[in-house]
Amino acid sequence: MKTGLGQDSHRFVLADEQKTLLLGGVVFPDELGLAGNSDADVVLHAITNGISGITGVNILGKISDDLCLQQGITDSRVYLQEALKYLHGWQICHISISIECRTPKITPRIPEMKQQIAALLQITTTDVGITATTGEGLTDFGRGLGIQVFCIVTAIQA
């Protein structure tokens, strides 16, 4: 068994910028998007980093920059799929995700996010745990300046 810890955070774009907010592959309409070269899906980025913690191959960095800046691929699902290629004999069996933000409200969208993430990782929705917090406004994320995500990815030998 191996575990990987993933983290990512992004600031919201300015109010006059048009960018769609994606979290875990789910569109949150009427919300400010997150700043970044890609679609800035902070949940998928944290998962990708968690998988990198298992494989030792950093996807977010040179590999994602090449995909995004050289090939124009901004879909974070592609970065996650790239990370999965390096599991070599390991299979993800569980993921736990913690999201910190003031907005948007995460809890009503958790079932959709679990379905999207489970499909991407080829696991069941019962093996995807998602929690959300404002952190009592103690950080920039809890004060509404952006979103931070931590996750733990657990893998077993296939």
Side-chain angles (χ1 to χ4, degrees):
M1 180 181 293
K2 289 185 177 185
T3 58
L5 175 63
Q7 184 276 342
D8 198 38
S9 58
H10 287 268
R11 288 191 176 277
F12 287 112
V13 296
L14 299 175
D16 61 346
E17 295 180 56
Q18 296 294 317
K19 190 163 186 183
T20 302
L21 178 62
L22 286 167
L23 296 175
V26 174
V27 174
F28 282 69
D30 305 320
E31 298 286 347
L32 287 176
L34 295 169
N37 291 329
S38 70
D39 61 18
D41 188 327
V42 68
V43 173
L44 296 187
H45 290 186
I47 295 169
T48 300
N49 281 332
I51 295 168
S52 291
I54 291 170
T55 65
V57 178
N58 291 326
I59 301 301
L60 298 182
K62 181 172 177 10
I63 293 172
S64 66
D65 285 349
D66 287 346
L67 288 168
C68 181
L69 302 174
Q70 304 300 321
Q71 299 178 45
I73 300 170
T74 60
D75 186 340
S76 294
R77 293 174 299 183
V78 174
Y79 311 152
L80 177 56
Q81 290 166 346
E82 187 68 22
L84 292 171
K85 292 178 184 177
Y86 294 93
L87 281 172
H88 303 303
W90 291 90
Q91 179 180 334
I92 294 172
C93 63
H94 188 268
I95 185 163
S96 179
I97 301 163
S98 178
I99 303 169
E100 182 182 359
C101 60
R102 185 175 88 191
T103 185
K105 296 295 182 197
I106 302 298
T107 302
R109 306 298 299 276
I110 286 176
E112 275 180 272
M113 293 171 65
K114 289 176 71 166
Q115 287 178 338
Q116 291 291 319
I117 293 164
L120 286 166
L121 299 178
Q122 297 180 2
I123 58 178
T124 67
T125 57
T126 58
D127 290 319
V128 178
I130 301 175
T131 61
T133 183
T134 63
E136 300 300 325
L138 294 174
T139 69
D140 285 345
F141 309 104
R143 287 190 286 275
L145 298 178
I147 301 176
Q148 175 169 246
V149 177
F150 286 94
C151 76
I152 296 174
V153 179
T154 305
I156 56 174
Q157 285 190 312

